[in-house]
Amino acid sequence: MQDGGRRWQLVVSTGGDALRQERLTRDLYAALHETEGVVASFTEDDAAVQPGHKGVGADEVALWAATATAVARPASQVLITAIKEWCARDRHRKVEVTYDGHSVSITGRPDAAQERVVREFLDKVGEAPSNSPEGDGE
């Protein structure tokens, strides 16, 4: 699926609490695993980090997610909706989503401004080719 889909980096923010971050990241992983059209894995499981890409910090646990291109709704919306639903379980949850050099934070209690920022993010990344490597410039 990675070859035909889009690859996203996901970092659960917990304000420096490494144990809580690991627990919540594993919970997000489980939620994404149940989402049709999304494949997720831990970044440490991905030995082939592309050169020139910033990784997550040494003490952070992160996920990558690949979205399928053959789903009824646009794949990016499927992933973002799954993350929003996961974050909505607790107002203190926050996930930093990065794709192709663009990032957005999704929280458990989004306001109208955050919803607008998420829509703008989806508009930006929606123009990116779905099979190009992250951060590949022309």
Side-chain angles (χ1 to χ4, degrees):
M1 180 175 291
Q2 285 175 253
D3 296 334
R6 307 176 80 172
R7 189 171 169 135
W8 307 71
Q9 179 178 320
L10 313 173
V11 177
V12 177
S13 300
T14 58
D17 184 342
L19 290 175
R20 183 170 181 258
Q21 182 187 36
E22 182 173 352
R23 182 179 55 81
L24 288 174
T25 300
R26 290 187 186 286
D27 190 53
L28 175 59
Y29 168 80
L32 293 176
H33 185 70
E34 296 174 1
T35 303
E36 185 177 343
V38 176
V39 173
S41 186
F42 293 91
T43 54
E44 67 261 12
D45 293 344
D46 184 24
V49 174
Q50 296 176 353
H53 286 82
K54 287 187 352 184
V56 295
D59 294 334
E60 290 185 320
V61 178
L63 298 172
W64 61 260
T67 54
T69 55
V71 291
R73 292 188 296 163
S76 55
Q77 288 182 3
V78 171
L79 178 63
I80 296 300
T81 298
I83 294 169
K84 283 181 174 182
E85 289 171 355
W86 180 82
C87 285
R89 294 180 195 168
D90 180 342
R91 66 186 178 126
H92 299 293
R93 290 184 178 181
K94 181 178 178 181
V95 177
E96 183 77 20
V97 180
T98 304
Y99 178 78
D100 195 31
H102 301 284
S103 295
V104 69
S105 291
I106 298 174
T107 63
R109 298 207 55 196
D111 57 14
Q114 184 190 21
E115 291 292 341
R116 186 181 72 253
V117 169
V118 171
R119 280 192 305 274
E120 290 170 359
F121 170 78
L122 286 171
D123 288 344
K124 286 179 190 175
V125 301
E127 302 301 318
S130 64
N131 60 355
S132 70
E134 252 187 294
D136 227 18
E138 292 185 298

